[in-house]
Amino acid sequence: MSDQDLRVGLIGAGRMGADHARRIHERISNARLVAVGDPDIDRARQAAADTGARAEQDPFEVIGASDVDALVIASPGVAHEPLLLAAIERGVPVLCEKPLTPDSKSSLRVVEAEQARGKHLVQVGFMRRFDPEYVELKHLLDNGELGRALVLHCAHRNASTPPGFTSEMMIYDSVVHEFDTTRWLLGQEISAVSVRWPRSSAAAPEGLIDPQVVTIETTGGVLADVEIFVNCGFGYQVRCEAVGERGAALIGASGGPLIQQSGRWGGNVTEDFRGRFGIAFDEEFQRWAHAARRGGVDPTAASAWDGYAAAAACAAGVQAQATGERAAVELVDRPDFYS
Amino acid sequence: MSDQDLRVGLIGAGRMGADHARRIHERISNARLVAVGDPDIDRARQAAADTGARAEQDPFEVIGASDVDALVIASPGVAHEPLLLAAIERGVPVLCEKPLTPDSKSSLRVVEAEQARGKHLVQVGFMRRFDPEYVELKHLLDNGELGRALVLHCAHRNASTPPGFTSEMMIYDSVVHEFDTTRWLLGQEISAVSVRWPRSSAAAPEGLIDPQVVTIETTGGVLADVEIFVNCGFGYQVRCEAVGERGAALIGASGGPLIQQSGRWGGNVTEDFRGRFGIAFDEEFQRWAHAARRGGVDPTAASAWDGYAAAAACAAGVQAQATGERAAVELVDRPDFYS
Amino acid sequence: MSDQDLRVGLIGAGRMGADHARRIHERISNARLVAVGDPDIDRARQAAADTGARAEQDPFEVIGASDVDALVIASPGVAHEPLLLAAIERGVPVLCEKPLTPDSKSSLRVVEAEQARGKHLVQVGFMRRFDPEYVELKHLLDNGELGRALVLHCAHRNASTPPGFTSEMMIYDSVVHEFDTTRWLLGQEISAVSVRWPRSSAAAPEGLIDPQVVTIETTGGVLADVEIFVNCGFGYQVRCEAVGERGAALIGASGGPLIQQSGRWGGNVTEDFRGRFGIAFDEEFQRWAHAARRGGVDPTAASAWDGYAAAAACAAGVQAQATGERAAVELVDRPDFYS
Amino acid sequence: MSDQDLRVGLIGAGRMGADHARRIHERISNARLVAVGDPDIDRARQAAADTGARAEQDPFEVIGASDVDALVIASPGVAHEPLLLAAIERGVPVLCEKPLTPDSKSSLRVVEAEQARGKHLVQVGFMRRFDPEYVELKHLLDNGELGRALVLHCAHRNASTPPGFTSEMMIYDSVVHEFDTTRWLLGQEISAVSVRWPRSSAAAPEGLIDPQVVTIETTGGVLADVEIFVNCGFGYQVRCEAVGERGAALIGASGGPLIQQSGRWGGNVTEDFRGRFGIAFDEEFQRWAHAARRGGVDPTAASAWDGYAAAAACAAGVQAQATGERAAVELVDRPDFYS
């Protein structure tokens, strides 16, 4: 009923934030957008337009507003920590776009603050956990059909990169998803990361090493390789094959109508992550809204701990990139609070 | 905003109705369930439970209630006509599960009533129009990539039938979807229907002719064949291939993770229509809610006219089944109101 | 050993005959080409060049030659009957390209002659029986994995037609293969043929009805539909799906490398029947050579009876095309000789 | 013609040799088997039976026989060197099953002997070069459709291993094929090999590390990863994806009829390498026979140099396995004779 609608405040009105404003307004049941905060007030107004929400220049006004039951944070990662700490202090559920924070130390502070608060409030936006194919893959692993997992083969491809895209961003913005899906699919932590690369593509901008092959080791002895190729030219593609003791399962290889035309059979490759993961975003937000109305977080979603672990893996990944050596992932002991 | 939430009354609390109650409550933005009407009041109560809606024994109480902005009709098809006429009279938007009504004469009366009311209020629940793959197929046909359509090949398979399922129900309950998708994909009316069949499967219950092959002719000269096989044993599968002058496109053939296991490669077949069309139902309802809040219907959805045309095609289909002869489809002239 | 090599005479040095000359010379073990006969002696010489075979203008010289152990007939169908009768009289094994003869009456005369001779000598070149995918499909049907067959869905597509191609040739040259595969896969005779068609493609030459949909009924109650589309534009494609009581199996839908490129996933469609059935031709000839060295025919191959039955089905198909009515297939009783 | 038939001597009548005896006798045009040599004379007799060939206990008798035009060597790798040197001395073309010899030093002696003889005589049995899908993949790379190659992803899976199979054999017997295909597809040498592994499968026999992931670096800067998993349980599968600057192409992922049955869609996985590469073996032998009749080798096939380079890569692979470190591949300069 309307008096139970979750009243959502959104912080960050960039491309992703504006998408989420529309999503909350048009697609998510039992939730409505009440405020959009962005230092660029015009952008905030634009995202709020037609949603019934007000615009604020100061994000902390949104966090502190009495009519805000829950928060979505879609501002740049560097701004996340103080926003998260304020939200935790106020005790409101937060769906925070990845990364939780840009580095593991600050992520750990968020983890500690949440733990101190004694209540699960923070959820990180690793939307692949809500993609129907990833969900099926996890189901196949969990129900034992494939036997114990041994190897993962992943590919993460973008048609091209925007100006200014760096090798580090390939880890922080892209492979971070594979760090999370690896941890989530297997229920294991990442113990080490290595990075190798072939000669770069002629299509890669100067200074960008592209493609790269990241190797992930887990505490359970699984080896995962990730091809990350952000100027592959032909579209957006995210693939994952899990190889187990009794079988293997692959997602993301193809899909959509099978077309016969001009001497070819096949189909179209999605242009970007929206086409591939649009349904996953909707599902993520809907389940978050249901959970947040009850004051909590969706247990399937990535927690603050997951955000911290991903940040630590990214740090190792960037170090491995820089040194060419295998980098161990250092994590504090997992608190019982997150088990 | 909450004061703009669409207040929905649901009529019919059987399996489909109960599904829709949950859908409206949990998945559909800007809509909330306020009343559930079913002659079986216990069933109504069960469907309404936890949704904040009240239960009513008399469906017309729901239609007439001042707090009901829009209606979903999910009762058996034989009960639809008076419900629809009452809703049209009251001027509330209706999402009516297929069939509009069980026969073309009564469907025509609904069409005429809506036309007399002068406002588009009725939408028929042909959910395939909201399935992402069907939408892509229509896009391929509309944008000319395949050239003009010439032939459709369809297959519609269920693992098995419940007791009491008849050959006529294969037309009314199953092939009716192919009648609608054929009309919608092509933008043409159906001009004639023929039905042939091989020997029946040993798995078909006594008295049921299964499988059957239905041939559809359209006013634009397209020939569509539909294999309808409701005891195929292996799962639920809906396929459609459109063959055009420059290419062909197929949907529904396979999907989900590609598994290598036990000497086989491949994936799982969906058990029933929920697995296959769950997302389509959500999309259908969400778009309907948006349109109904503005007092109208979704232009993509099937109209009362489409419901009437499908009923007329079903009548021809059942006649063709009974006589073994090609049966022409008789339609009144399409009113400008529906063009 | 070389003294056991099958000495082959080839009649007909057109495109198909020249292919076969090369095939026998380069690919077929235990066989060598000794003579090529064609009224166009230059063409015969060209096909014989580099193979060690001599050229003859009179095909009957080839049939009668004492150093010819076996014959391949690749001349036009209208010329087949006297050649076959002469070969039967001489008692040499023959691999005759389809059709056996252009009509069922003359085919029956060949059947009767072979029967009178009391020895299986004639094999008809329905090469699909040697295609690995067709062989697997037959295996699935024979071993009962799919249950009893109920329906076949076939598609037979060519990129375009040469000048002078007629609607009748769509039956005689193309659908004749589906007549044979239907009979062979099912072990049943064809009882009736119907033909329907949508509006023709703009790419079809004037006077040609293209595509067409042929429906085949068998004595075992199976219904087969065949889309025949000879100006489909995108390549050569032969598909067959067998639907049985417990499952369905499809061949020919796709194949080759899976390519991701230019916004598409998928592969290349074969340009013509050589790309699709090259291996089947090799296998057909190799197995024929082994059988012919022992004086007989390959039991898997199409017999003279199969050639006769295909001719009778073609006659019904062309009649159904001309009249728009279902045409029954008339066959004499199958002699024990062919059971 | 028969007097030009290549007279083949076969050395080694184990499982592979017996297969080849049958292949030469039944499938290969212009070649006939005249002698089979094996220290186990009974085995030699069995392989020779029905082929018209004689059996010899001493392989060198076969090499020296005046009626032997060419040799097939299918004995264990440790026996190859003296056989190859004798054949080179006699000047007869040899098709030698892989490995050329078990180590790069002895392989280099063969290379030097052939070079000293001044004539290309030795061909190594890397049959994948004749597999239609690999050929298509090479074609896609050579014609530039995919752009310059950057990364290869390979998987090489066997259902299970025979007793006594060791981790070293995973390199020498299995990954050796990926060493050759990598070199051949790219036209580059291998510069280094690394090996990593996850925890082993419970299905791996004690002492066997299975699966393993081999990383290959090439002189052209390409990075190839190979999953080698010889107790995968579900069948035999060889996959290769080439990722280039403009696209990617994958072979070996699936194939055969697409079956819908028992709640699954998909097809059957080949049990062993015969099902997967049978046609490649036939093609390899046929082309070798044509070349050997002219006294030479097939330019597509792997040369003695290729055999040497594969042996050197294997040595690096086994070293990398033992040390856990990246091992460089040491090759002598490539003689002009092999360019």
Side-chain angles (χ1 to χ4, degrees), chain A residues 153 196 217 227 241, chain D residues 153 196 217 227 239 241:
Chain A
H153 298 299
R196 307 184 75 164
E217 297 168 58
E227 175 207 313
E241 182 181 35
Chain D
H153 300 297
R196 307 183 76 165
E217 297 169 58
E227 176 206 313
R239 275 187 347 207
E241 182 182 35

Side-chain angles (χ1 to χ4, degrees), chain A residues 125-139 177 180-181 184-185 236-240 250-254 270 272-285 287 298 300-301, chain B residues 27 256-257 279:
Chain A
F126 287 119
M127 77 291 184
R128 291 191 191 173
R129 296 182 178 211
F130 302 94
D131 172 66
E133 280 206 307
Y134 269 102
V135 169
E136 281 191 66
L137 182 58
K138 179 156 176 60
H139 185 66
H177 283 290
D180 184 65
T181 51
W184 169 68
L185 286 172
Y236 180 77
Q237 190 177 52
V238 169
R239 273 186 349 206
C240 180
L250 168 70
I251 60 170
S254 57
T270 308
D272 67 14
F273 70 96
R274 288 154 207 236
R276 174 70 180 84
F277 289 114
I279 285 168
F281 277 116
D282 287 354
E283 181 74 11
E284 178 190 45
F285 271 69
R287 293 179 60 160
D298 180 358
T300 298
Chain B
R27 312 285 308 190
I279 286 168

Side-chain angles (χ1 to χ4, degrees), chain D residues 107-121:
Chain D
S107 284
L108 188 56
R109 287 194 292 267
V110 176
V111 162
E112 286 163 350
E114 185 182 46
Q115 204 180 342
R117 190 68 170 74
K119 200 177 169 192
H120 289 280
L121 293 167

